[in-house]
Amino acid sequence: MTDRFLVAGPYRLDLEDERVWRAEASLHLGGKAFALLRALMERPQVLVTKDELYERAWPGLAVSDSVLTTAIKELRRALGDNARNPEVIGTVHGRGYRFLLPVERRAAGELVAASPAGDAVSRGRTRPAGWMAALALGVVGLVILVAAVAWQRSLATQATAEASAASKSVVVLPFADLTPGRSETWFADGMTEEISSSLARAPDLRVISRRAASRFRENDTDVRAVARELDVAHVLTGSVRRDGDHVRVSAQLIRAADGAQLWSQTYDRRDRGVISIQEDIAFHIASSLKSILEPARLRAMVDAGTRSVEAYEAYLRGVALDQRQSDEGDVGYARAAAEEYERARALDPNFAAAHWRSANSWFGNTTRVVAIGRGQNDQLERAHYVARLDAAIAASTDEAERLKYQAARASAQLQIKDAHRLMVRYLEVRPRDMDAWEEMADLSAYAGERRWMARAAERLQTLSMEDGYPRSRAITVSVMALQYDTAVQRSRRQLEARPDNALTQYQAHRAFVWAGRLAEARRLLEQVNASGMPTDTKMLAEIRQACAEGRVEEARILRRSVDAIGRESIRWQAAMLLGDTDGAYRLLLPMDTDGRLPTLMQFLIYPEFDPSAYPNLNARLTHEGVARRAVTPLPYACKTA
């Protein structure tokens, strides 16, 4: 029997007749309000993000936050709910809303509650006799009384759960380097990142990323102000100081609500003891936040992965250099980081994290805006990549991390479905890993799982906005999943949060062009051109704008410049924009060999890419059971005919 009703306390929503009742009273809801209530009741007691609600109530349209806020306000008024003390719909600030009551699904025959004449339940039936009606009303009263008690218990449980979740949020601020001359900043930054990463492995802790925390580097930072801005309950601060072969590390965990110091420790040790400091801090913070993990598992979770101080310090230098590359965009830092990871893995062959970081410096994604590149052929670089993945898999003692390593290896070996399945398993254990969600977007494109692409985009947007450091990849993947209006909405929110970020500007520009918002795109293009983005990337943005505005000859001139200096992926995109599919095909054809197929496969992220034109790639996809997808022409490409 098909479920027809969603029932929560005194409320019931009729899925067929699209009506809502509170006890015996019919509520007057418009179409948008009904769609929002249905979306919330179908996922009770969990966060439903703004993006998900936009897609349910305003599919294909770009609307502002104020429209959603007004619609929720009207819905609350109809339900008799209060935004200040909500009992039905709770607000998760900046993220979305939550239906607070438990919901049951019921078929039409399971409801005994009487409805007014003409109600969808009783329509076409004979009214019961008086004594039967009285009995039915008595039953209804009892049901409502029981439901009300359950409702109040649910509210108390929900409030407790929300308070518990909020109490397990923390940001690790950059540790201060108090060494004379600040010569140990690399050590302080590396330790900060590793403590944060260790805590993030706990499934019940919400840990703000290093990127978001890096804005608060100054020693005189107001801890409570930081907590308010990042929406966390706790702040970990610390400092390091080195003197010869001695190191002093101090750390304090502060509760933001009242400034109370929940835990503090100062470690004075020789260099040989530095590894245990990181592990001890992470363990005590997770314990103080009452992580659900038992102590033995918690100790294993925060394990640094090596007992070699030399390997550990080389690894921390690499982490610090990677941070600088991320902050400043200089690829030279990434190359220097790669050398440190190589040194770390040579010093300790059982250091899984060093193998993993080193692997990622060997085989990057050629379709990304920033790629390191080692100047060697793809086949050789992939061999180095796989060798380091194998070493990471063999050395790892963390089952979840091993799943991630195995997914990467399967992808490199073109075992597409296996890679996707392994990443799904990893994200079940580590659902807040944004790097993994970025990888999931790519794997989903390779496996033909467009719905998973959309899911990855939503998770990246929600998690990174919550983190306070939005990731532009959420915009990119939204565009590639053909969610143009959703991409526009996400672009606007990211630009509001990070108006000066070049990557966000570039990806938002593409979203605006593809969605037909050319004036908005034109204004943003000025900022892209003034940024430090690579020259070929800026030219590609110019070509998009020119094509969309019908300036075909200008686009052709720009393409000739891109062909002279651009990377393969940029040149391919320029050819597709100009309608030169033959030229685009010839550009990528040399990749259709066994040695370069993993690189060619990366172009599957683009909906305009046609894999059937490449025999070896097409054969591999067929072998893997990847269903052939429709090729989607570029919107607003140059009309050259």
Side-chain angles (χ1 to χ4, degrees), residues 165-173 205-209 212-213 216 222-236 253-258 289 432 466-468:
S167 70
K168 294 185 177 184
S169 56
V170 64
V171 59
V172 183
L173 294 186
L205 301 186
R206 181 168 74 88
V207 184
I208 297 299
S209 74
F216 308 98
D222 182 340
V223 169
R224 298 177 76 173
V226 170
R228 284 194 300 272
E229 183 167 344
L230 296 177
D231 190 26
V232 293
H234 302 91
V235 178
L236 178 67
L253 180 66
I254 300 168
R255 185 170 58 209
D258 55 9
L289 298 182
R432 300 186 64 84
E466 176 186 290
D467 186 57

Side-chain angles (χ1 to χ4, degrees), residues 222-399:
D222 182 340
V223 169
R224 298 177 76 173
V226 170
R228 284 194 300 272
E229 183 167 344
L230 296 177
D231 190 26
V232 293
H234 302 91
V235 178
L236 178 67
T237 64
S239 63
V240 302
R241 181 186 179 94
R242 248 192 169 132
D243 184 9
D245 64 350
H246 283 76
V247 62
R248 168 176 284 195
V249 178
S250 298
Q252 307 82 37
L253 180 66
I254 300 168
R255 185 170 58 209
D258 55 9
Q261 192 175 89
L262 301 183
W263 174 86
S264 67
Q265 184 68 46
T266 297
Y267 302 87
D268 281 297
R269 298 183 183 173
R270 292 186 178 276
D271 283 345
R272 293 291 165 188
V274 297
I275 297 174
S276 62
I277 295 176
Q278 171 200 309
E279 296 171 337
D280 200 58
I281 292 174
F283 176 82
H284 281 98
I285 299 309
S287 299
S288 297
L289 298 182
K290 296 180 171 57
S291 171
I292 60 174
L293 295 180
E294 59 188 26
R297 289 188 62 199
L298 196 56
R299 280 288 183 193
M301 182 194 77
V302 302
D303 184 85
T306 183
R307 302 335 292 171
S308 165
V309 173
E310 291 80 6
Y312 173 73
E313 293 195 345
Y315 178 81
L316 290 189
R317 286 192 186 92
V319 169
L321 287 163
D322 266 342
Q323 290 177 12
R324 292 196 65 179
Q325 189 279 325
S326 175
D327 294 339
E328 301 176 28
D330 188 340
V331 177
Y333 290 125
R335 294 194 178 101
E339 293 177 3
E340 293 294 343
Y341 297 139
E342 281 294 296
R343 182 166 175 265
R345 64 186 292 268
L347 288 165
D348 183 359
N350 293 315
F351 196 175
H355 292 306
W356 169 248
R357 294 246 188 185
S358 177
N360 286 317
S361 72
W362 275 98
F363 188 71
N365 194 316
T366 192
T367 65
R368 300 291 179 90
V369 173
V370 178
I372 298 174
R374 285 178 174 262
Q376 300 183 20
N377 67 66
D378 288 358
Q379 189 168 3
L380 181 58
E381 290 191 1
R382 182 165 62 112
H384 284 294
Y385 176 68
V386 170
R388 283 153 182 77
L389 289 178
D390 286 340
I393 293 168
S396 179
T397 58
D398 185 315
E399 292 182 8

Side-chain angles (χ1 to χ4, degrees), residues 108-142:
E110 295 176 0
L111 284 181
V112 297
S115 301
D119 173 15
V121 175
S122 59
R123 189 181 293 120
R125 298 180 187 174
T126 303
R127 289 191 177 186
W131 70 270
M132 292 180 66
L135 177 61
L137 287 174
V139 172
V140 169
L142 180 60

Side-chain angles (χ1 to χ4, degrees), residues 543-595:
I543 293 173
R544 286 195 187 105
Q545 189 79 34
C547 283
E549 294 175 348
R551 295 181 281 114
V552 178
E553 188 55 36
E554 186 176 338
R556 285 178 176 147
I557 294 171
L558 285 165
R559 184 199 170 182
R560 287 197 288 270
S561 297
V562 166
D563 284 344
I565 66 169
R567 291 159 287 165
E568 283 177 324
S569 63
I570 299 293
R571 284 152 46 208
W572 178 82
Q573 290 180 75
M576 294 296 290
L577 282 165
L578 270 296
D580 183 9
T581 54
D582 289 340
Y585 163 74
R586 289 193 301 271
L587 184 65
L588 300 188
L589 186 59
M591 297 182 188
D592 194 35
T593 61
D594 289 343

Side-chain angles (χ1 to χ4, degrees), residues 50-102:
K50 290 181 180 181
D51 286 336
E52 291 172 301
L53 293 173
Y54 285 131
E55 290 170 13
R56 291 293 296 272
W58 296 274
L61 297 177
V63 297
S64 66
D65 280 359
S66 62
V67 174
L68 176 59
T69 302
T70 300
I72 292 291
K73 183 178 180 180
E74 293 175 355
L75 178 57
R76 281 182 169 135
R77 186 183 300 120
L79 297 175
D81 199 23
N82 188 324
R84 291 181 179 272
N85 298 292
E87 296 181 339
V88 184
I89 299 175
T91 300
V92 184
H93 292 289
R95 299 165 60 195
Y97 298 89
R98 180 182 287 114
F99 193 78
L100 300 177
L101 308 181

